[in-house]
Amino acid sequence: MANFPTIRIRTRRKYYRLIFTGLMAMMMSLIISTVLLLIKVGYIDGFTELMHSWGLAFIVAWPSAYFCAYMVQEHILSRIEFY
């Protein structure tokens, strides 16, 4: 099996939540918009409708994921003592 090099990116720790929520919102919005499009319209040949739906979902998903991650980390997980 081929041995591909691992790509590593270095960035500051303060950008962790922004990058994490951005990637989560991107993946979740793709999955949700694809499933909803399949339920609503069925399988279609048009790839552009999926991309349009995904773009709109991502615009809503990233700020909401950032807000929810902040609320959970700061107000819920801070009250739990992990050991």
Side-chain angles (χ1 to χ4, degrees):
M1 188 161 194
N3 212 359
F4 295 109
T6 303
I7 297 172
R8 300 235 180 234
I9 298 172
R10 290 181 49 121
T11 187
R12 298 185 188 275
R13 183 78 177 148
K14 67 180 180 177
Y15 298 125
Y16 174 82
R17 185 182 294 156
L18 185 66
I19 293 169
F20 175 76
T21 57
L23 292 172
M24 287 296 294
M26 187 170 49
M27 289 186 292
M28 289 175 61
S29 63
L30 174 64
I31 293 168
I32 291 170
S33 61
T34 303
V35 170
L36 290 177
L37 197 61
L38 286 173
I39 291 171
K40 180 181 172 188
V41 181
Y43 181 75
I44 58 172
D45 291 331
F47 186 69
T48 57
E49 190 169 344
L50 174 62
M51 289 294 108
H52 180 71
S53 174
W54 184 23
L56 290 175
F58 183 68
I59 289 171
V60 174
W62 195 350
S64 61
Y66 192 79
F67 176 74
C68 291
Y70 169 76
M71 293 300 286
V72 168
Q73 288 176 345
E74 295 295 323
H75 297 288
I76 297 173
L77 292 180
S78 65
R79 291 181 167 85
I80 300 173
E81 185 176 326
F82 294 99
Y83 58 93

